[in-house]
Amino acid sequence: MIVDSHQHFVRLSKHPEVEGFRKAQLAGKDPDALPQLSDVDVAKSLQVVLGLMTQRNIDMAFASPQAKAMATHAGTVEQNATWADLTNSLVLRGCQLHPGKFAPIGMLGQHQTCPSDRIAKQMEHWVGQGFVGFNFDPDGTGGRWSNQPFIGRHNYPVFAAAEALDVTLVLHGSESINSNFPFTAVQYLVVDIAAFVQLMMAKELFKDFPRLRFLIPHAGGALPCQIGRWRAIAKFYNWSSPDEILGSGNVFVDTCVYSHLNMQMLFDAVPLENILFGSECDGAFPGIVNPETNDHADNTSRYVNDSSLSGADKERVFSGNAARVYPRASRWKA
């Protein structure tokens, strides 16, 4: 079985009525009513993704709203809460319309001035609706990085809720208004790197929340190629080492890398029990072909299949680890 732990319902977020609602919000013209998409509209937006899943033998995917659309730096507290609830409701409908194919990952109404206990209550609501995890933006400033590190006590209500609800927080970046940090090319990876290093810096976090789980996408950013640097820096600053962080059972990464070389680097650097299969199926750069394979670059399952891992180890990466990291996903299986 192949479970894709990193998928976004990008086309659903880009539906004209949905996108138009957000544009109106950010223009200061809060619409009086939420978009009313039919089941046909929702299902139609997922046809390409379902086709690719069939082609790539992906049995199930953990699906979240478009990451860029989180736009946690924009809007107001109230607008972002409404926007998150709207997109979550659409993701939920997409999962319900395709039993056994998807499990929902939520968006949170983050904002620089939003108290985290409010975010925690939003998490409780959506877990009650069946959500198995949530994307959480460690930046939240659109690439300005003017907030305090996300590991601070200001986010403890969110971490307490995630631990109590037994859901995983995906530390995923969002939109960037910094022209030096294009969002898919740089900002997402900067968030991955910053998130992992901040977890190395966090002396008390996993003592306070021993069952808290984070997934850092895109293979942890620089983790596969810079783990040696981070081991040395950890000793220099007396931080937790990458090996301690990965060995704690609290931090995981996915396989969203796009060549045989990078996939092998990931398997060499990170323990297999910390790696979940992910592909961003039809997300980051749809239709772009890798000349090594003459196949879509984001068909990451072929890099796993073509690796030297044993059959048992491939099974752990493809599905076994996901069942452990996302225990609530079992209710969504066929």
Side-chain angles (χ1 to χ4, degrees), residues 306-317:
D306 291 346
S307 74
S308 60
L309 295 184
S310 68
D313 284 341
K314 289 176 184 176
E315 188 279 332
R316 290 161 69 191
V317 171

Side-chain angles (χ1 to χ4, degrees), residues 205-228:
L205 182 60
F206 296 128
K207 294 178 183 177
D208 294 335
F209 302 103
R211 294 179 291 105
L212 180 62
R213 296 188 302 275
F214 295 109
L215 188 142
I216 303 178
H218 319 114
L223 180 61
C225 60
Q226 293 293 355
I227 192 168

